[in-house]
Structure formats: C-alpha cells, structure tokens
Amino acid sequence: MKKQSFLFLIGGILSLIIAMGIGRFAYTPILPLMQKDLSFSNTVAGYIASSNYAGYLLGAILAGAIPLKKYRVIILKISLIISILTTALMGLTYSHFLWYILRFLSGVSSAYVLVLASGIVLDKLAVISKTSWSGLFYGGVGLGILLSSLLIPTLNRLFQWEGTWIGLAVVSGILASFVWIWLDEAPNDLEMQNKQETFALVPPTKWLLWLTIAYGLEGLGYIVTGTFIVSIAEKTSYFQNDATLVWMMVGLAAIPSCLIWSILSKKCGHVKSLVLAMVLQSLGMAMPAFWISKTSFIISALLFGATFMGITTLATTLGRHMNPSNSSRTIGILTAIYAFGQLIGPILAGVLSSFTHNFTTALIGASSVVLIGAGMLLNGIQFEKKSKGILISK
C-alpha cells in the first residue's frame, strides 16, 4: 500500500474513533459516573441512550436515501464537527431534555460518518485491490473505545464527569485535524471503481432481506450490553469504582476483531462467519445473567468486543458485495434497520431493569434475540457452498 493510500486509511480510522468510539460509545462508561453524581434512574438512562439511537436511525436513513456520492467527504467532515460539539456540550448541561437533544444530534452525525466513511474507504480499498484491509478500518471503533477507556478515569478524577465529556471532545478535535488532511476522495477513484471486477461467493441480491432482518435483530440485542454493561458491573461487589476496566476489555478485543473476522470470512465464507460471530456474541451477552463474577464480566466483555464490530464489518462488506453498484445506499439501509433495533433495545432494557430491579431478564432476552438473528442467516450458507462465484463489480 502506497503512503498516500495508507494515510487515507488512517484518516478513515480516525473518523470512526471520533464519531463512533468516542462520540457514540463514550456514554457507556460515563453513564455510571453521571448516575452516581445525579442519581437518575435506569429508565432515564435508557431514554438518553435511545435518543442517540433515534438520531442514528434518522442519520442512517438519510445517508442511505439521499444521493451524496459527489459530496460525501464534505458531509463526512461536517458530521465530525457536529459529533465533537455534541460531545463537548454533554458536559455543560444538567438538563435531561438537552441531553436527549444532544445525544440525538450525536446519533445523526455518527450514522453519517459510519455510512459515508464506509462507502468512501471500502470503495478506495476496492480500487487498490486491498479489500481485506476493511478490517483495519472498522477496528477504529475499538481503538476509540480503548482510547476513551484509558482517558475517562483520569479525566473524571481531575474534572468529574462534566470535564470528561469536554476532555474527550478536545481529543476528538485534535484527531479531526488529521482527518481533514488525509481523508479525501480523488475523482479517478470514483471512475476506477466501476472498472474493477472480481469474483466472490455471496448469496444473490434477493437474500439481502434475510441479512437486513438479522442485522436489525443484532442491533436490538447487542445494544443492551453495549449500553449497560459498565453500569451492571459497577453495581456488583467485584468492581470498586473500576468498572471502566470492563469497557477497556471491550475495546481491546474490538481492535483486532474486524481484521480477524475479515480474514476468516475469506476462508470460510461471509455468512458462516457472520453466524459464528453472532452465536459467540449471544453466549457472551448471557454470561453475566447466569454467572456473576469479575471473570464472567471480563469474558463477556472480551466476547462482546471481539464480535460486535466484527459483525458490522461482515454484514456491511457482504451487503456491499451483493450490491456493489450502490454501496453507500446498501450500507445505509443495513445501518438504518440496525439503528431501529438499537432504538428499541435500551428502552426495553431500562424499563425491564427498573421493574425487576436487575438486568438478568434484559440480558437473557437480548441474547436470545441475537441468537434468533443468527438462525435466520443459516439459509444463506447454501449459496456459499453451491455457488461457483457471482460476478460483482467494484
């Protein structure tokens, strides 16, 4: 890979660190800090989370429905600015209503960044015949989670939870300066991608419906752990103000996971790899419901981190292979149904936990939903076995 292409990839990774790893997921480890200081309920926490996912849903729909190919780098950069500003403003207000608005806007911007950056980077990697590097790109989310986990304890100690939000926004602003320099879309990239042809073992386009439904169930299930795992750990006797360690394990496992799942998918097939990832995630999500210990939380976090972005990598890459002529739209549709599931998940989990006074039922239910999604994908394995290869253009 040439230096210019390498820096382009780094720019894409940084955009995910800012909008996803920090802008979207920093709420999870900061939530128990906010609840400890302000004493709001799990129901309120669920509404705040779901407002973010409502914005994420809207952003995904708009990014997928509106033709943006000529302007996607510009819109991506604007979205990064919004993500950074909404992160900073979270530390400057105590109003639940304003938190809802800020997290909603953050959700819109993070969806735009994910959809547009995915389209830009995956198209570029196809042009230079480096599609296997997509795993490195999506690893940016794990890097962002790890980075925020390392920074949050120190920022909280120095500036409380308010300063933690602002500090993360400052770090995001610094990283964004490199995105401005390195992430660009040369005109010839758009022309060349239509000339690239290759063979891939993928189901036919009509199978996108199964993938879309299963991916929506994944969004509904995974987000319960993705939102509340640190809060759940914090409430046990095994974590004395160091529950952020659990989120750090998620980030550590997520960093190499996308690359590993990408490599595995080339050897075993995208659908089989996707089913395996969802089954492993389901097991990890249910574990704290049946086995409460520091070890179980760490194993659960590692399994969750090793799969949640790997599933996104596999699903979006598979969707792009099945409809390569309009990658951003396909990724936008998948992201929208995923976001719809995310919108419902935290609300249901928050209400259930408030009613039962624990997260056991919510975790078991979420795990079951992901497992059902994996089962729905099983009928796609036949295409990987029987097909000699479907001609796709990149």
Side-chain angles (χ1 to χ4, degrees), residues 3 45 68-69 84 97 124 129-130 138 157 170 183 185 194 232 237 249 269 274-275 309 333 347 369-370 381 385 392:
K3 181 180 178 181
L68 298 170
K69 207 156 194 176
I84 295 168
F97 179 72
K124 175 75 172 185
S129 300
K130 293 288 185 179
Y138 285 112
R157 217 166 26 244
V170 171
L183 190 65
E185 190 166 53
N194 295 320
I232 297 171
S237 59
M249 293 299 103
L274 191 52
V275 170
M309 277 312 299
I333 291 172
I347 295 176
V369 166
V370 173
I381 295 176
K385 289 180 178 179
I392 61 173

Side-chain angles (χ1 to χ4, degrees), residues 62-145:
L62 293 176
I66 303 174
L68 298 170
K69 207 156 194 176
K70 293 182 180 179
Y71 310 102
R72 54 187 184 177
V73 172
I74 296 173
I75 297 173
L76 170 69
K77 292 177 179 179
I78 293 173
S79 299
L80 285 173
I81 292 173
I82 295 173
S83 177
I84 295 168
L85 288 176
T86 53
T87 297
L89 291 172
M90 279 295 293
L92 297 176
T93 180
Y94 301 94
S95 166
H96 292 179
F97 179 72
L98 289 179
W99 283 342
Y100 297 149
I101 294 175
L102 290 172
R103 294 306 292 162
F104 179 84
L105 293 175
S106 176
V108 173
S109 63
S110 62
Y112 263 98
V113 171
L114 178 65
V115 173
L116 297 179
S118 294
I120 293 167
V121 173
L122 293 181
D123 286 347
K124 175 75 172 185
L125 293 177
V127 168
I128 61 176
S129 300
K130 293 288 185 179
T131 54
S132 60
W133 289 72
S134 63
L136 291 177
F137 165 66
Y138 285 112
V141 178
L143 279 170
I145 289 173

